[in-house]
Structure formats: structure tokens, C-alpha cells
Amino acid sequence: MCGDDEGAGELEEMLYARFLVHARALLQPDDQTTAASPDDPLAYMDKLFSDALSRCVRDGEEAGVDQRYLRLATQPLVFARLAGLLAGHLGLDQDPLRKVIEALMEGYADAARPDHDNDHDHGHDHDHGHRH
């Protein structure tokens, strides 16, 4: 049984390391992002995403080595709860649940891409004008 725990620990370390590589790639500064107007709603969304992702990385790195994967595993639950709270305050005519689920599925698909190429279509009708 001890070998099973060791294998699980190695898998968790590998998954956490993969997350860090992907997160750090997404957090690379982009000249087009920094040049965007602060009143631009897309720039606001990208900054909020980067701020939240930075916090996730920082919290993981501050946790003990044996707690980093557990920290990563709990973070999506917190953000899902927050997304539900925020969406629950929007008018139903804006179909907030569908939008939240679509964004969730897009993020899940991004994580599954082996090359982490983030220059992609988010399934909505606008161009961010940069990679994130």
C-alpha cells in the first residue's frame, strides 16, 4: 500500500508542476494587455483573471510541499462558489448560468491542451487582441 501512496504523491507533484508551467505562461506580461484602456471591459476581465491566477500560484507556492496539490484541488471549488454567487445576482435574461458553464468548460479545455497555446477563440464574439 505504501507504494500506492508514493505513486499518488508523484502524480500529484507532476500535476501541480504542470499547472505551474501553464499558469506562469499565462501570466507572462503582454504589451497589448498593458496598453489596453482601463475602461475596456475585456482588459478588466483579463486583469481580474490574471490577479486571481497569480493569487492561486502564490498560495500554492506558500503552502508546504505536501500541501500544494491539495491547495490546487480546493481552489476551483472556491471560484465555482464565487462564480455562482456573482451569477446569482444577475438578471435571468442575461442567462448567467449558461455563461458561467461555458467559461468553466473553456478553462477546462485550455488545461487539457498539451501545448497550452492560449491564442484561441473563447466562444464569444470579440477579440482580446492578445494572448492570455
Side-chain angles (χ1 to χ4, degrees), residues 44 48 79-91 94 96-97 100:
Y44 166 76
L48 184 58
F79 285 109
R81 180 178 173 201
L82 178 59
L85 175 76
L86 295 172
H89 287 280
L90 301 177
Q94 296 179 17
L97 182 58
V100 167

Side-chain angles (χ1 to χ4, degrees), residues 59-103:
D59 288 357
E61 292 297 279
E62 290 174 357
V65 173
D66 60 331
Q67 293 295 310
R68 289 179 178 169
Y69 181 79
L70 179 60
R71 181 79 42 102
L72 175 63
T74 60
Q75 289 169 338
L77 304 175
V78 173
F79 285 109
R81 180 178 173 201
L82 178 59
L85 175 76
L86 295 172
H89 287 280
L90 301 177
L92 293 179
D93 62 319
Q94 296 179 17
D95 202 6
L97 182 58
R98 180 186 57 80
K99 290 177 181 177
V100 167
I101 291 172
E102 285 176 353

Side-chain angles (χ1 to χ4, degrees), residues 10-131:
E10 289 175 11
L11 176 61
E12 290 175 357
E13 287 177 25
M14 182 193 71
L15 291 170
Y16 181 76
R18 181 175 175 260
F19 161 73
L20 278 182
V21 167
H22 193 180
R24 288 177 177 149
L26 289 169
L27 291 170
Q28 291 297 313
D30 185 331
D31 293 337
Q32 293 175 343
T33 302
T34 56
S37 165
D39 295 331
D40 178 4
L42 301 178
Y44 166 76
M45 291 183 343
D46 284 340
K47 172 129 178 38
L48 184 58
F49 177 86
S50 292
D51 290 348
L53 184 57
S54 292
R55 172 67 189 267
C56 290
V57 169
R58 185 174 61 249
D59 288 357
E61 292 297 279
E62 290 174 357
V65 173
D66 60 331
Q67 293 295 310
R68 289 179 178 169
Y69 181 79
L70 179 60
R71 181 79 42 102
L72 175 63
T74 60
Q75 289 169 338
L77 304 175
V78 173
F79 285 109
R81 180 178 173 201
L82 178 59
L85 175 76
L86 295 172
H89 287 280
L90 301 177
L92 293 179
D93 62 319
Q94 296 179 17
D95 202 6
L97 182 58
R98 180 186 57 80
K99 290 177 181 177
V100 167
I101 291 172
E102 285 176 353
L104 176 71
M105 296 307 296
E106 184 65 37
Y108 199 79
D110 283 349
R113 287 189 182 97
D115 60 356
H116 300 301
D117 181 6
N118 296 298
D119 195 13
H120 59 272
D121 176 24
H122 291 274
H124 43 243
D125 298 327
H126 65 266
D127 178 19
H128 291 252
H130 66 278
R131 297 172 55 122

